[in-house]
Amino acid sequence: MSHKSARYLPLVVTVGQVVIFPYYIIWLKQVSLTFTLFAWFFASFSFAAAWGYRIYQTKKNKDHSYLFIIYAGMGSVYILIGCIKNSYEFLPYVVLPLQVVLGVLQGYFRAWHSDQDTYHLHAVHHYLIVGFMMIGFSFLKIISPVVFITIFGLLLLICGFWEFIRRGKLNVPKKV
C-alpha cells in the first residue's frame, strides 16, 4: 500500500459509518411505523451484511475488489435516504430494499477491510477518532439526522470517485 489514500480511505469510511450510525438509527425509527417494523428492517440489514461478507469471502480474485463501486453505492444510498421525505405512505416499502443494499455493501466492505494489512492499526485509530468525533458532535445542535446522513453520502461518493481515479480507471492509454 504505497498510496496514502489506499491506507486512509478505508479508515474514513469505517469511522464515518460508526459516527453516522446514531443519526441513521434516528432516521430509521422515524420511518418505521412500529418497533416491530424497525426490528425487521434492522434484521434485513444484518442478514444482508452477512450475505455481503460471504460474497467477498467466496470471491476467487480478491485483488480486483472494485472498492470504488462499494463507496459510491453506499454514498448513493445515504444521499437517497437524505432526499426521502417521511410523509410517503409507501416509505416502508422503499426502506426495505435500501436496508438490503446498504447491508450487502457494508458487509462486503467489512470483509475486504479485514483482509487489509493496515486493518489492525485502523481498529485502534478507529476507536480514538470515533470517540473524539462523538464528543465534537455533542456540541453541535442537530438540525436533522438526514443532514448528517446526506453529508456522509457525499463524502462516500467523493471517496469512491477518488478511488476510481487512483486505480487509473480514467486514464486513457497513450499512443506509442
Side-chain angles (χ1 to χ4, degrees):
M1 283 200 189
S2 61
H3 204 276
K4 286 186 179 187
S5 69
R7 287 186 297 212
Y8 298 122
L9 279 182
L11 181 62
V12 168
V13 173
T14 17
V15 168
Q17 287 173 338
V18 172
V19 169
I20 209 67
F21 196 68
Y23 303 106
Y24 184 74
I25 294 294
I26 292 169
W27 175 81
L28 193 59
K29 282 184 179 179
Q30 288 174 351
V31 300
S32 301
L33 303 174
T34 64
F35 180 75
T36 305
L37 188 58
F38 172 76
W40 278 93
F41 283 152
F42 227 89
S44 65
F45 174 83
S46 296
F47 293 140
W51 182 32
Y53 197 94
R54 184 71 181 141
I55 288 171
Y56 180 81
Q57 291 299 325
T58 58
K59 189 176 178 181
K60 292 181 181 169
N61 188 359
K62 294 184 180 180
D63 293 333
H64 299 292
S65 61
Y66 298 108
L67 203 57
F68 66 92
I69 295 172
I70 302 299
Y71 293 155
M74 285 191 290
S76 299
V77 169
Y78 282 122
I79 289 173
L80 184 60
I81 287 169
C83 294
I84 291 176
K85 304 295 180 219
N86 291 344
S87 60
Y88 298 131
E89 293 176 9
F90 58 89
L91 190 57
Y93 301 106
V94 173
V95 171
L96 183 61
L98 290 176
Q99 285 288 94
V100 170
V101 168
L102 194 58
V104 169
L105 293 173
Q106 285 192 359
Y108 188 94
F109 172 75
R110 293 276 186 230
W112 172 85
H113 193 204
S114 65
D115 278 353
Q116 302 307 304
D117 296 334
T118 57
Y119 177 74
H120 298 293
L121 182 62
H122 279 184
V124 173
H125 290 166
H126 170 265
Y127 293 120
L128 294 172
I129 293 170
V130 167
F132 285 119
M133 288 184 77
M134 293 312 272
I135 289 171
F137 277 156
S138 71
F139 294 112
L140 293 177
K141 181 178 179 176
I142 299 174
I143 300 167
S144 170
V146 295
V147 172
F148 290 111
I149 292 171
T150 306
I151 290 171
F152 182 59
L154 288 171
L155 176 67
L156 284 173
L157 280 178
I158 291 168
C159 288
F161 184 69
W162 178 257
E163 184 72 16
F164 185 74
I165 290 172
R166 187 188 70 77
R167 287 193 166 245
K169 302 294 182 200
L170 292 178
N171 292 345
V172 179
K174 295 179 181 179
K175 294 181 182 180
V176 181

